């Protein structure tokens, strides 16, 4: 007696499954046998949910929808709120700056306060986004726009009022717009990281423009001239450095692509 009873070999359920497998064909039989083995391995826990089975079936489409909804909800965070606040402050600053003809010391002080709040939020929103993993696509686009909008509005207002030469405004805004365009051109090869010089340039620009917004006289007016001169120099030097980085990044990217193509052809 070498035969094994059907009940000992897995019971009636497996025997029935095997019979059904032979009836439906090889391909469906393989799927049915895998389903039986998977249910047996998990003990049919949680109603046989596939998400609990290692290496099991793919998650339902609803899971992807829920994940997308969570990612979309993350747009509403403190970092993006500060960015949007900076955008709102741009027209507020312009109104305050040009009130009473643009030369009233009191209104200029209010304009300086709006500009200072905008610059402070610029320091915090990026730090919060990186520290607490709040980086979003909206923030990546809106943050540089907000930075350039408030700085551009201040420079244009100052030049329009005759407090700052137009060539200074042209150099600073031309550099900012040019570097932004350059980043988009070479983004296929990589990202140009922000340098320490660039951060120092931003700080110096903010201090210099803030001093020009205030109605300063005497030695403070002389000091702001030299602070603005330092900001212009840093603007030009860091701009040239970004151009150099972009050229190096493009050359490296082209070389890597060429090497990968030759390896593929070989």
């Amino acid at each position: 007696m070498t035969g094994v009873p059907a009940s000992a070999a897995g019971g009636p359920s497996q025997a029935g499954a095997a019979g059904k497998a032979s009836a439906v064909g090889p391909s469906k039989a393989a799927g049915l046998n895998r389903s039986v083995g998977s249910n047996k391995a998990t003990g049919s826990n949680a109603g046989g949910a596939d998400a609990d089975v290692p290496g099991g079936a793919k998650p339902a489409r609803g899971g992807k929808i829920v994940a997308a909804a969570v990612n979309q909800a993350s747009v509403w965070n403190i970092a993006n709120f500060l960015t949007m606040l900076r955008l709102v402050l741009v027209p507020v600053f312009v109104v305050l700056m040009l009130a009473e003809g643009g030369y009233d010391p009191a209104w200029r002080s209010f304009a300086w306060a709006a500009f200072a709040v905008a610059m402070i939020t610029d320091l915090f929103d990026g730090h919060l986004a990186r520290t607490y993993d709040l980086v979003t696509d909206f923030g990546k686009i809106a943050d540089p726009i907000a930075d350039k909008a408030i700085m551009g509005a201040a420079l244009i207002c100052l030049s329009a009022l005759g407090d700052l030469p137009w060539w200074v405004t042209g150099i600073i805004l031309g550099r900012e717009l040019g570097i932004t365009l350059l980043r988009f051109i070479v983004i296929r090869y990589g990202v140009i990281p922000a340098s320490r010089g660039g951060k120092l340039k931003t700080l110096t620009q903010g201090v210099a423009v803030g001093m020009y917004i205030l109605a300063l006289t005497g030695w403070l007016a002389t000091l702001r001239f030299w602070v603005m001169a330092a900001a212009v120099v840093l603007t030009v030097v860091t701009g040239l450095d970004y151009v150099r980085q972009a050229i190096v990044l493009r050359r490296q990217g082209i070389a890597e692509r060429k090497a990968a193509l030759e390896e593929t052809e070989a």
Side-chain angles (χ1 to χ4, degrees), residues 107-252:
W107 286 109
R108 293 281 285 256
S109 297
F110 291 134
W112 176 86
F115 180 81
V117 171
M119 297 305 294
I120 291 172
T121 60
D122 182 28
L123 296 176
F124 281 101
D125 59 357
H127 174 73
L128 290 172
R130 291 186 296 270
T131 302
Y132 297 101
D133 195 19
L134 300 177
V135 178
T136 62
D137 291 338
F138 171 81
K140 293 177 182 178
I141 297 173
D143 182 67
I145 292 177
D147 297 343
K148 291 167 181 57
I150 188 65
M151 183 60 69
L155 290 169
I156 291 173
C157 285
L158 288 171
S159 294
L161 293 172
D163 294 337
L164 190 67
W166 277 106
W167 65 266
V168 174
T169 297
I171 287 177
I172 295 177
L173 292 185
R175 184 267 190 198
E176 298 300 328
L177 296 176
I179 295 303
T180 300
L181 179 61
L182 188 63
R183 287 178 184 272
F184 280 109
I185 292 176
V186 301
I187 196 170
R188 68 180 68 179
Y189 306 109
V191 177
I192 303 176
S195 63
R196 292 183 179 180
K199 295 178 181 180
L200 179 61
K201 177 269 306 178
T202 301
L203 178 62
T204 308
Q205 282 182 1
V207 173
V209 172
M211 294 180 71
Y212 268 86
I213 292 172
L214 291 171
L216 300 179
T217 58
W219 69 271
L220 287 175
T222 303
L223 177 62
R224 71 181 181 184
F225 169 82
W226 291 108
V227 175
M228 180 59 75
V232 171
V233 172
L234 287 172
T235 297
V236 174
V237 172
T238 56
L240 294 175
D241 182 62
Y242 277 123
V243 172
R244 180 192 62 80
Q245 291 186 53
I247 294 174
V248 172
L249 188 63
R250 181 177 180 274
R251 288 177 178 175
Q252 290 178 348

Side-chain angles (χ1 to χ4, degrees), residues 41-156:
T42 59
S44 300
N45 58 351
D50 291 336
D52 295 334
V53 181
K58 295 181 179 179
R61 293 182 180 179
K64 295 182 178 179
I65 296 176
V66 172
V70 171
N71 292 334
Q72 185 66 23
S74 65
V75 171
W76 301 100
N77 58 60
I78 183 63
N80 287 343
F81 172 78
L82 292 177
T83 300
M84 289 186 286
L85 174 62
R86 194 156 69 257
L87 286 170
V88 172
L89 284 174
V90 174
V92 174
F93 165 81
V94 173
V95 171
L96 295 173
M97 186 71 181
L98 300 180
E100 299 295 331
Y103 297 103
D104 185 88
W107 286 109
R108 293 281 285 256
S109 297
F110 291 134
W112 176 86
F115 180 81
V117 171
M119 297 305 294
I120 291 172
T121 60
D122 182 28
L123 296 176
F124 281 101
D125 59 357
H127 174 73
L128 290 172
R130 291 186 296 270
T131 302
Y132 297 101
D133 195 19
L134 300 177
V135 178
T136 62
D137 291 338
F138 171 81
K140 293 177 182 178
I141 297 173
D143 182 67
I145 292 177
D147 297 343
K148 291 167 181 57
I150 188 65
M151 183 60 69
L155 290 169
I156 291 173

